[in-house]
Amino acid sequence: MKKIFITSLIACLGLFTISCDSDEFDDNFENNPESGWVEFERAVQTESLLDGNTEIPITVFLEVPINRGGTAVNYSVERVSGNGVVNEGNFVLNIPESTRIGTINFDLDVDATEDYQVLFTINSTSKDDVIIGLQGPEGEEETAHPDELLLTVTAQQSIFTESTWAVDSSVCYGDGSGGCDPANSGINLTSEIEMTPGANLNEFTISDITGGLYVQEYGASPNPVDVVADLDAGTLSVNAQPDTVYGGDEFNGTGTFTTNDDGDLVSFEITWSNGYGDSGTNMYTIPE
């Protein structure tokens, strides 16, 4: 990788579209308006999946007064940490004659559940007079002219975390044929459940769907179920979850969830039933 030690500035000529504040040349450029270097806009960049972006720009500057015929910039992409899905390899960015700025459109792994880092490196250009970055005294990289960019992608965190929730429920006994037993309806119960995040951001498990009915009324064990959230619509669903206590039956349900201004889960509600007729509406809040 060829490096140049900056020793002087040449005057800005009205003939060329060049800024004295941003473009630096030394004697090795021989005042050639088609010579210069290529660099990333910055050495480090951070993006958050919480922003909702699926693609982000990586900006490359071509620091030459005249980009005659355009310039091809060869660069590589390498994931250096984390498990985010990255399109790694060697690529070419073409900077057309009409501009001195190029953009690498980089796809983010929107399903990543942990932070990951990606290293972009400029390896060469299509022109002998256009070098890669610049170097300061004694081999020190000039941070203003980076030929590498380290991108950190911070993963979206699930709002359904390991936590305990207070439950206020109105439940009924089943009549054995899918309906409520009229003599045992409208029973109000209070209990607590444990929430566990699932494998995906929109999934979680609660330790009992029955709102205390199985434990407090039937003297049985709690029945855990998996819940799926529609994060855009703010809705919840319980789909064909097995009755692990009595067997031969399943739970279904629908609900909603509420978040605060910071995006944290503050409450949710599920209306559920099983084939036997047990049913209820459970309101989940943060315990006081």
Side-chain angles (χ1 to χ4, degrees), residues 206-210 214 220-226 240-251 274:
I206 54 175
S207 57
D208 183 29
I209 186 59
T210 71
Y214 274 16
S221 300
N223 200 112
V225 297
D226 295 334
Q241 291 295 293
D243 187 326
T244 58
V245 176
Y246 293 104
D249 202 350
E250 64 184 27
F251 290 91
N274 60 20

Side-chain angles (χ1 to χ4, degrees), residues 203-262:
E203 298 173 349
F204 63 96
T205 299
I206 54 175
S207 57
D208 183 29
I209 186 59
T210 71
L213 175 65
Y214 274 16
V215 175
Q216 298 179 37
E217 295 295 313
Y218 293 172
S221 300
N223 200 112
V225 297
D226 295 334
V227 184
V228 177
D230 184 322
L231 298 175
D232 294 325
T235 58
L236 303 172
S237 59
V238 176
N239 301 311
Q241 291 295 293
D243 187 326
T244 58
V245 176
Y246 293 104
D249 202 350
E250 64 184 27
F251 290 91
N252 290 279
T254 59
T256 59
F257 66 89
T258 303
T259 58
N260 60 20
D261 292 339
D262 294 326

Side-chain angles (χ1 to χ4, degrees), residues 149-220:
L149 183 149
L150 182 63
L151 171 68
T152 299
V153 181
T154 58
Q156 182 173 350
Q157 300 298 314
S158 175
I159 63 174
F160 307 110
T161 60
E162 194 87 29
S163 51
T164 300
W165 293 82
V167 189
D168 291 306
S169 305
S170 177
V171 302
C172 75
Y173 289 34
D175 63 6
S177 59
C180 280
D181 177 1
N184 292 283
S185 300
I187 301 170
N188 296 318
L189 300 174
T190 59
S191 60
E192 284 191 347
I193 61 99
E194 299 299 321
M195 174 185 288
T196 305
N200 298 311
L201 295 175
N202 66 328
E203 298 173 349
F204 63 96
T205 299
I206 54 175
S207 57
D208 183 29
I209 186 59
T210 71
L213 175 65
Y214 274 16
V215 175
Q216 298 179 37
E217 295 295 313
Y218 293 172

Side-chain angles (χ1 to χ4, degrees), residues 25-281:
F25 292 86
D26 74 357
D27 294 338
N28 292 327
F29 289 118
E30 298 178 348
N31 296 337
N32 177 3
E34 295 186 50
S35 67
W37 69 91
V38 65
E39 64 183 42
F40 286 112
E41 180 182 20
R42 55 178 64 90
V44 294
Q45 185 170 335
T46 300
E47 301 288 341
S48 173
L49 294 179
L50 291 173
D51 294 335
N53 296 322
T54 60
E55 181 185 87
I56 56 141
I58 304 294
T59 303
V60 177
F61 290 143
L62 178 63
E63 298 291 0
V64 297
I66 296 179
N67 180 22
R68 194 186 309 275
T71 302
V73 178
N74 303 297
Y75 68 95
S76 60
V77 179
E78 177 189 6
R79 187 188 66 203
V80 293
S81 69
N83 60 5
V85 177
V86 175
N87 185 21
E88 298 180 272
N90 297 306
F91 306 91
V92 177
L93 172 66
N94 291 303
I95 302 179
E97 183 175 33
S98 59
T99 183
R100 295 189 303 158
I101 299 176
T103 302
I104 300 169
N105 294 312
F106 180 69
D107 292 326
L108 300 177
D109 180 6
V110 296
D111 295 322
T113 57
E114 65 177 43
D115 297 354
Y116 65 96
Q117 290 184 308
V118 182
L119 181 66
F120 296 80
T121 303
I122 299 173
N123 297 312
S124 64
T125 74
S126 59
K127 296 179 178 178
D128 292 338
D129 290 333
V130 179
I131 63 169
I132 304 165
L134 291 173
Q135 186 173 344
E138 299 180 0
E140 295 180 3
E141 291 291 335
E142 288 289 325
T143 58
H145 310 287
D147 54 20
E148 291 185 342
L149 183 149
L150 182 63
L151 171 68
T152 299
V153 181
T154 58
Q156 182 173 350
Q157 300 298 314
S158 175
I159 63 174
F160 307 110
T161 60
E162 194 87 29
S163 51
T164 300
W165 293 82
V167 189
D168 291 306
S169 305
S170 177
V171 302
C172 75
Y173 289 34
D175 63 6
S177 59
C180 280
D181 177 1
N184 292 283
S185 300
I187 301 170
N188 296 318
L189 300 174
T190 59
S191 60
E192 284 191 347
I193 61 99
E194 299 299 321
M195 174 185 288
T196 305
N200 298 311
L201 295 175
N202 66 328
E203 298 173 349
F204 63 96
T205 299
I206 54 175
S207 57
D208 183 29
I209 186 59
T210 71
L213 175 65
Y214 274 16
V215 175
Q216 298 179 37
E217 295 295 313
Y218 293 172
S221 300
N223 200 112
V225 297
D226 295 334
V227 184
V228 177
D230 184 322
L231 298 175
D232 294 325
T235 58
L236 303 172
S237 59
V238 176
N239 301 311
Q241 291 295 293
D243 187 326
T244 58
V245 176
Y246 293 104
D249 202 350
E250 64 184 27
F251 290 91
N252 290 279
T254 59
T256 59
F257 66 89
T258 303
T259 58
N260 60 20
D261 292 339
D262 294 326
D264 299 321
L265 182 68
V266 293
S267 66
F268 61 104
E269 182 177 317
I270 298 176
T271 297
W272 59 272
S273 63
N274 60 20
Y276 185 79
D278 298 321
S279 65
T281 296

